[in-house]
Amino acid sequence: MTPCTKPPKSSPKVGTANLSEASLTGEFALIARLRARLPAIGDDAAVVALPPGDLLLTADAVVSGVHFDLDLVGIDDVGWKALAVNVSDVAAMGGRPLHALVTVAGPLATVDLDALYDGVLAAAEVFACPVVGGDLVAAPVLIVSVAVTGTLDGSAPVLRSGAAPGDVLFVTGPLGSSAAGLELLRTGRGSEAPDLALAHRRPRARVAEGRAARTAGATAMIDLSDGLASDVRHIAEASGVGVALDRVPVAVGVARATGDDGVAAALGGGEDYELLFAAPDPGRVEDAFSAAGLTRPLAIGRCTADAGERRLADGDLPEGGWEHTW
Amino acid sequence: MTPCTKPPKSSPKVGTANLSEASLTGEFALIARLRARLPAIGDDAAVVALPPGDLLLTADAVVSGVHFDLDLVGIDDVGWKALAVNVSDVAAMGGRPLHALVTVAGPLATVDLDALYDGVLAAAEVFACPVVGGDLVAAPVLIVSVAVTGTLDGSAPVLRSGAAPGDVLFVTGPLGSSAAGLELLRTGRGSEAPDLALAHRRPRARVAEGRAARTAGATAMIDLSDGLASDVRHIAEASGVGVALDRVPVAVGVARATGDDGVAAALGGGEDYELLFAAPDPGRVEDAFSAAGLTRPLAIGRCTADAGERRLADGDLPEGGWEHTW
């Protein structure tokens, strides 16, 4: 991956401890351990080399009690997810990640930062997205705020806004696993379907799939973070097209976990982090995914010329996706 | 500045509202207003063009009750500072900022986000660092987490580690203003010295000065965020040199505000965000700053061959800088 020469610190103030803090006493032994695991860290800012072409930039944060419950998931899972959801945003443009900046705010004396970084660094390795900087700050609640860079390797990004009538809509895999896994964890049944629980705890960013979709001429793409019902509307609205879905592919085990047909979890559960994309040529899509050694994506419907259309089979596409409650 | 095509969202979940949220109702009218002020926002990730050469990456967060007190500063000041401290890290490498990602976590229904973004966007304009993405998430405490990219325009970065014995140490301005300003605000005397209060509320990142120092052959540089006593140690330790300071330049009004000679504020107050750098040729430093139309930096001492030396005038350099209390 891109070589890092010297990396970051921060602007430490009361309660701030940047990852490059030089004189370490007491609590700073912790920082020393982290630094040993983050060899790229150490100056005011990271200096990184880049491949040619445009840069992708994205940032997402997860908050304890809002986006995760440490009674249900491990703090290592939180670290994984904080990185993965950012990588997923890069994947949704057809790019691949380059670097991550990880800022942890929380009651640092009581947070298991080693475990948190276990998850961060596991994801960084799996997604080939090294952590080159960040910040550690004292706060009354645990928040992991991540920013990620990515590259398109000289290609054009796949935006949300390029879908045209007639384009076929695909998802990169069946849906509902994360919502079903959360439901199992909430009801103490996580061990009944460990794969579903894992889908919730450690979502996979579909980087290779996003690149294959771009190669296949995808005209619009988004990652399924809110849920299909909500996210397909984002593509429709940005592109000015209608959408007519034929079906909602539900992942194995979701119906059993949720006690219904699983469609609600697939439409509105969110956090699956599969990609939804539109493409004009299904044959080209199949070829591109096959050439990349990837499972064929699932055609779920098409874009239509009636910009107001939001259809599922013979009925209206339900509203759905996570409610944003403030 | 670098053109932005399409920008960011996030991975919205319960309580998450990314800045590109498409269907806006209720509280989302607020997001709509923010989006109108952030024209670069709108897709899974921002796509930005870059100048040639290495990229700088840095991230810093500020937390209510830890790094700022909203009884003493405006929430617009918080937005300004969150961006400025990141730009300062880029300046400390000899670079200039390119883009910012701004993540706001907090009790969003009660936070004046418009005012917060007033400050963010004012700083973004002054420092030529447009906001191209970020995230808005619900949290019980206000945290502004920012990541900034920067460029060296093809030059080598000025690290902390390059100082050599004999190099002269400079600061880009007199110190203590921020600590004095905070003291005035805390004691209800902010109007007595508005310039000091402003130095605390709206620190300036010394971008032009950092570039001039780089041009002048600076061998090591850091921004004075913790305070001179602490930050000069970072350069000494990273470079393996001793430091012998002749003097500590105290800003006008600091002594009056603090009720002593102001040296403690200058040495340990922190948050001045002036730059400290080492350079072998004072004449070249003077020429570079003069050519850039900048005030001449202040020579305060030199680097020595005794790596353990930490001297101020005839005595030991005090410990100091902000305590990191977790």
Side-chain angles (χ1 to χ4, degrees):
Chain A
M1 191 89 321
T2 55
C4 306
T5 53
K6 283 279 181 172
K9 53 137 247 187
S10 76
S11 54
K13 239 87 319 94
V14 180
T16 304
N18 72 62
L19 297 179
S20 66
E21 196 58 34
S23 17
L24 308 176
T25 59
E27 295 287 346
F28 286 94
L30 170 64
I31 314 284
R33 288 204 304 279
L34 290 180
R35 287 192 68 198
R37 302 176 65 181
L38 297 166
I41 307 288
D43 217 299
D44 290 76
V47 184
V48 297
L50 293 176
D54 289 344
L55 188 73
L56 298 170
L57 293 171
T58 190
D60 265 350
V62 294
V63 181
S64 182
V66 179
H67 305 94
F68 60 87
D69 179 345
L70 287 176
D71 291 335
L72 302 182
V73 301
I75 196 167
D76 52 338
D77 298 327
V78 172
W80 172 290
K81 185 178 280 191
L83 200 80
V85 300
N86 278 278
V87 173
S88 181
D89 282 331
V90 167
M93 308 297 281
R96 63 181 171 91
L98 293 175
H99 316 98
L101 298 167
V102 177
T103 293
V104 178
L108 298 181
T110 62
V111 167
D112 187 347
L113 284 175
D114 281 314
L116 177 60
Y117 276 87
D118 284 343
V120 166
L121 295 175
E125 185 168 342
V126 165
F127 300 123
C129 182
V131 177
V132 299
D135 199 7
L136 278 177
V137 295
V141 62
L142 178 62
I143 299 181
V144 185
S145 176
V146 176
V148 162
T149 66
T151 179
L152 294 155
D153 291 303
S155 299
V158 184
L159 306 178
R160 298 178 177 186
S161 53
D167 286 352
V168 178
L169 288 164
F170 294 90
V171 290
T172 52
L175 307 175
S177 300
S178 179
L182 177 58
E183 177 63 17
L184 291 174
L185 291 168
R186 278 184 176 150
T187 53
R189 297 179 293 147
S191 59
E192 284 181 20
D195 53 330
L196 295 179
L198 192 68
H200 178 72
R201 289 171 40 230
R202 299 220 165 188
R204 309 295 294 210
R206 302 300 183 189
V207 177
E209 288 80 355
R211 287 157 70 82
R214 189 194 70 204
T215 302
T219 54
M221 187 153 59
I222 192 170
D223 69 327
L224 291 175
S225 52
D226 285 351
L228 178 62
S230 184
D231 289 322
V232 75
R233 284 181 160 84
H234 291 148
I235 283 188
E237 287 161 13
S239 297
V241 297
V243 289
L245 303 188
D246 304 319
R247 66 188 186 110
V248 175
V250 177
V252 172
V254 173
R256 183 188 177 111
T258 57
D260 57 22
D261 61 7
V263 171
L267 274 175
E271 301 205 83
D272 281 316
Y273 297 103
E274 298 290 349
L275 299 175
L276 166 69
F277 64 93
D281 183 345
R284 201 175 152 198
V285 169
E286 189 168 328
D287 291 348
F289 276 70
S290 173
L294 299 169
T295 303
R296 185 188 304 187
L298 307 168
I300 60 168
R302 64 188 55 75
C303 299
T304 68
D306 175 0
E309 184 171 21
R310 302 286 182 272
R311 192 159 57 78
L312 171 58
D314 295 331
D316 291 335
L317 178 68
E319 300 282 341
W322 285 102
E323 290 295 318
H324 302 269
T325 50
W326 292 358
Chain B
M1 189 91 322
T2 56
C4 306
T5 54
K6 283 279 179 170
K9 55 139 245 187
S10 77
S11 54
K13 241 81 325 95
V14 180
T16 304
N18 73 60
L19 297 180
S20 65
E21 198 57 35
S23 18
L24 310 173
T25 59
E27 296 286 347
F28 287 93
L30 171 63
I31 313 285
R33 287 204 305 278
L34 289 180
R35 287 193 68 198
R37 301 176 66 182
L38 296 166
I41 307 289
D43 217 299
D44 290 77
V47 184
V48 297
L50 293 176
D54 289 344
L55 188 73
L56 298 170
L57 293 171
T58 191
D60 267 346
V62 295
V63 181
S64 182
V66 178
H67 306 93
F68 59 87
D69 178 345
L70 287 175
D71 290 337
L72 301 182
V73 301
I75 196 167
D76 53 337
D77 298 327
V78 172
W80 172 288
K81 185 178 281 192
L83 200 80
V85 301
N86 277 278
V87 173
S88 181
D89 281 332
V90 167
M93 308 296 281
R96 64 182 171 88
L98 293 174
H99 316 99
L101 298 167
V102 178
T103 293
V104 177
L108 299 181
T110 62
V111 166
D112 187 346
L113 283 174
D114 281 314
L116 176 60
Y117 277 86
D118 284 344
V120 167
L121 295 175
E125 184 167 342
V126 165
F127 300 123
C129 182
V131 177
V132 299
D135 199 7
L136 278 177
V137 295
V141 62
L142 178 62
I143 300 182
V144 185
S145 176
V146 175
V148 160
T149 67
T151 180
L152 293 155
D153 291 303
S155 299
V158 184
L159 306 178
R160 297 177 177 186
S161 52
D167 286 352
V168 178
L169 288 164
F170 293 91
V171 290
T172 52
L175 307 175
S177 300
S178 179
L182 177 58
E183 176 63 18
L184 291 174
L185 290 168
R186 278 183 176 149
T187 53
R189 296 180 293 146
S191 60
E192 283 180 18
D195 53 331
L196 295 179
L198 192 67
H200 177 73
R201 289 171 39 228
R202 300 220 164 188
R204 309 296 292 210
R206 302 300 183 188
V207 177
E209 288 80 357
R211 288 158 68 82
R214 189 194 71 205
T215 303
T219 54
M221 187 153 59
I222 192 170
D223 69 327
L224 291 175
S225 51
D226 285 350
L228 178 62
S230 184
D231 289 321
V232 77
R233 285 180 160 83
H234 291 148
I235 282 188
E237 287 161 14
S239 297
V241 298
V243 287
L245 304 188
D246 305 320
R247 66 189 187 108
V248 176
V250 177
V252 172
V254 173
R256 183 187 177 113
T258 58
D260 56 24
D261 60 8
V263 171
L267 275 176
E271 302 206 82
D272 280 317
Y273 298 102
E274 298 290 349
L275 299 174
L276 166 68
F277 64 94
D281 183 346
R284 201 174 152 199
V285 168
E286 189 168 328
D287 290 348
F289 276 70
S290 173
L294 298 169
T295 304
R296 185 188 307 189
L298 308 168
I300 60 168
R302 64 188 55 75
C303 299
T304 67
D306 175 1
E309 183 171 22
R310 302 287 182 270
R311 193 159 56 77
L312 173 58
D314 296 329
D316 291 334
L317 179 68
E319 299 282 340
W322 283 102
E323 290 295 318
H324 303 270
T325 50
W326 292 0

